[in-house]
């Protein structure tokens, strides 16, 4: 009887309550460890998967750029054996806009420069000699196309843009010895032309300056 009473003393009740609290705390700690480990595994797995995705995406982009640089631009025109003499006179070029030939000794600035008025062709040709891409348009070009090409040129060193009202089509892209006509700024060949010919293999003077020339 005394033993039974002893089991129901306040001290025994406190011990039992304390043991229950400790049991619950141990259970919470176990759950916390399981959750932490699970989250850690998920994070690592996510990083591995995400890293793999990013690496694959970067590889795909590199492959796309390599293809753009090595593949011919569909529909482009090419000229070889272009002269490179410096002259002070106006030059009668056989193509419009010109893609090479004799030119002024000073280049048009082509560090992403957008000109809203016509520029001297002899100076622009010198920019092409330095590896620039020259985007030209007429008043028949759609404002949305002009805006999109403006944005591309503005963010691309070794490029320039200006109106050429007497060219054969509303939108044209030129590099040294290369020229492309497009109907829209969203034409995939625009990006390819920039990728391939901005400081591309056709450049007679790669690395030459695109600043310090004429800024009209």
């Amino acid at each position: 009887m005394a033993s039974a009473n002893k089991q129901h003393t306040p001290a025994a009740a406190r011990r039992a309550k304390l043991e229950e609290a400790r049991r619950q705390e141990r259970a919470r700690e176990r759950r916390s460890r399981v959750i932490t480990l699970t989250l850690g595994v998920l994070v690592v797995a996510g990083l591995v998967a995400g890293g793999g995705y990013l690496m694959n995406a970067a590889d795909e982009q590199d492959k796309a750029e390599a293809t753009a640089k090595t593949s011919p631009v569909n529909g482009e025109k090419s000229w070889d054996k272009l002269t490179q003499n410096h002259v002070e006179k106006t030059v009668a070029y056989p193509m419009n806009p010109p893609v090479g030939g004799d030119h002024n000794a000073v280049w048009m600035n082509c560090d992403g420069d957008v000109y809203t008025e016509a520029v001297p062709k002899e100076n622009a040709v010198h920019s092409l000699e330095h590896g620039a891409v020259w985007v030209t348009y007429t008043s028949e070009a759609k404002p949305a196309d002009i805006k999109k090409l403006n944005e591309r040129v503005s963010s691309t060193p070794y490029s320039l843009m200006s109106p050429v009202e007497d060219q054969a089509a509303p939108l044209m892209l030129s590099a040294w010895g290369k020229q492309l006509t497009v109907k829209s700024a969203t034409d995939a060949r625009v990006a390819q032309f920039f990728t391939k010919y901005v400081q591309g293999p056709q450049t007679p003077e790669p690395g030459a300056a695109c600043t310090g020339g004429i800024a009209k």
Side-chain angles (χ1 to χ4, degrees):
M1 187 72 175
S3 176
N5 289 337
K6 186 176 181 180
Q7 292 177 358
H8 294 285
T9 61
R14 286 195 296 272
R15 283 196 298 273
K17 189 174 182 179
L18 180 60
E19 284 299 323
E20 177 62 18
R22 288 173 176 170
R23 185 188 67 77
Q24 292 179 2
E25 179 64 24
R26 287 193 296 271
R28 282 195 295 270
E29 289 177 353
R30 285 195 297 271
R31 287 196 298 271
S32 296
R33 285 196 297 271
V34 170
I35 291 171
T36 300
L37 289 171
T38 301
L39 289 175
V41 170
L42 290 174
V43 168
V44 171
L47 289 173
V48 170
Y53 172 79
L54 291 175
M55 289 179 67
N56 288 336
D59 288 343
E60 290 300 320
Q61 184 175 356
D62 290 343
K63 289 178 182 177
E65 289 185 359
T67 299
K69 289 180 178 180
T70 57
S71 301
V73 180
N74 187 35
E76 73 177 12
K77 295 180 180 180
S78 299
W79 289 264
D80 298 320
K81 300 179 181 179
L82 297 167
T83 57
Q84 296 175 239
N85 301 310
H86 288 175
V87 297
E88 297 182 1
K89 62 181 181 180
T90 300
V91 179
Y93 293 104
M95 75 294 287
N96 186 39
V99 299
D102 293 349
H103 50 269
N104 194 278
V106 184
W107 55 90
M108 291 299 303
N109 283 344
C110 46
D111 190 28
D113 292 271
V114 175
Y115 302 97
T116 57
E117 297 180 359
V119 301
K121 295 175 181 178
E122 293 77 13
N123 300 97
V125 169
H126 197 153
S127 301
L128 303 186
E129 187 183 41
H130 289 190
V133 163
W134 183 18
V135 176
T136 53
Y137 62 94
T138 72
S139 57
E140 294 181 1
K142 296 178 181 178
D145 287 328
I146 295 175
K147 181 176 183 294
K148 191 172 185 66
L149 290 169
N150 184 320
E151 291 171 351
R152 179 179 287 276
V153 169
S154 297
S155 62
T156 307
Y158 285 94
S159 71
L160 70 160
M161 180 174 177
S162 70
V164 175
E165 195 59 44
D166 58 346
Q167 67 184 26
L171 297 173
M172 298 179 74
L173 287 75
S174 301
W176 185 270
K178 305 292 180 180
Q179 193 164 82
L180 177 68
T181 298
V182 295
K183 293 183 177 180
S184 169
T186 60
D187 190 317
R189 294 176 299 166
V190 172
Q192 184 186 3
F193 197 90
F194 270 77
T195 298
K196 188 167 186 176
Y197 294 129
V198 169
Q199 284 285 284
Q202 85 295 339
T203 305
E205 297 181 3
C210 247
T211 58
I214 295 176
K216 186 174 181 180

